[in-house]
Amino acid sequence: MEAGELELLIPAGEIERGVRELGSRLTKIYRGKQVVVIPLLKGGFMFASDLIRCMDLDLQIEFLGAASYGEQTRSSGEVRLTLDTTMPLKDRDVLLVEDIVDTGLTLAYIQKLIRSREPASLRTVVLLDKTARRKVDVEVDEAVFDIPDRFVFGYGLDSPGGFHRNLSDIVTIRE
Ligand code: IMP
């Protein structure tokens, strides 16, 4: 993909500011508690790694991986677990960290899985929210940015071919 085909949607500086503010809010919310932070892979890894450095708390990290079958830029809604946690989540305060909520099907599936393990609490934060495309009423406690119905990538997110995850900005393909 040529650089000219990309349109800048959210520059790195804005992402950094949004993530820092979310980190401070979470620090206040969880003060005095030990949190298990679960980045949802693959897309949530960069957001989560920046976010936890803005959280001044005792926290542990576990990972969940999900993939959905489908075309390159549209998920089918059929979710597949690709990686599971290794520690018990029962009675723990769990923070699920996801890159983007689109139809909501992936999050709904993952939240159901986590709830079946009886955590003391479950909070979900996402970097991006494409509200226009929601198909299921899924609980999102905080979304850093609301975005239009465009396929976006960069900052760890999936992209056509899986490249461009290393971009610091969030971009889209020029229409
Ligand atoms: P869902 O439709 O909410 O289930 O989203 C499915 C998955 O597709 C999410 O976990 C994201 O990782 C990914 N996804 C949805 N929209 C985009 C996008 O615009 N760019 C990159 N990944 C996306």
Side-chain angles (χ1 to χ4, degrees), residues 27-174:
T27 301
K28 290 193 189 108
I29 289 169
Y30 286 113
R31 181 156 292 142
K33 292 186 171 165
Q34 292 186 329
V35 187
V36 183
V37 180
I38 307 185
L40 187 57
L41 302 180
K42 294 179 189 173
F45 78 94
M46 199 174 283
F47 172 39
S49 70
D50 284 343
L51 183 64
I52 58 170
R53 283 177 284 180
C54 300
M55 292 171 62
D56 187 11
L57 291 168
D58 280 347
L59 59 83
Q60 290 164 305
I61 292 280
E62 281 288 309
F63 293 102
L64 278 172
S68 62
Y69 300 98
E71 303 158 30
Q72 273 200 329
T73 61
R74 289 284 185 231
S75 79
S76 63
E78 204 179 312
V79 183
R80 196 158 47 99
L81 195 70
T82 55
L83 182 70
D84 205 349
T85 51
T86 56
M87 71 164 67
L89 301 179
K90 188 167 166 54
D91 300 329
R92 301 299 312 269
D93 290 299
V94 173
L95 176 67
L96 179 62
V97 181
E98 166 67 316
D99 56 351
I100 182 165
V101 53
D102 185 7
T103 62
L105 289 160
T106 305
L107 267 188
Y109 174 90
I110 293 295
Q111 288 176 341
K112 190 170 169 209
L113 177 82
I114 296 176
R115 288 205 177 97
S116 74
R117 296 175 183 176
E118 303 176 17
S121 70
L122 171 62
R123 182 173 294 271
T124 303
V125 294
V126 301
L127 181 68
L128 307 172
D129 190 345
K130 270 193 216 175
T131 20
R133 297 226 334 126
R134 198 74 90 255
K135 277 192 188 154
V136 288
D137 189 18
V138 69
E139 236 174 85
V140 176
D141 296 280
E142 288 233 32
V144 182
F145 301 101
D146 281 320
I147 59 160
D149 180 13
R150 301 274 296 273
F151 186 78
V152 298
F153 51 96
Y155 196 66
L157 274 86
D158 195 11
S159 66
F163 294 99
H164 307 293
R165 286 192 199 261
N166 53 334
L167 293 178
S168 303
D169 306 308
I170 289 173
V171 299
T172 184
I173 296 171
R174 202 176 291 283

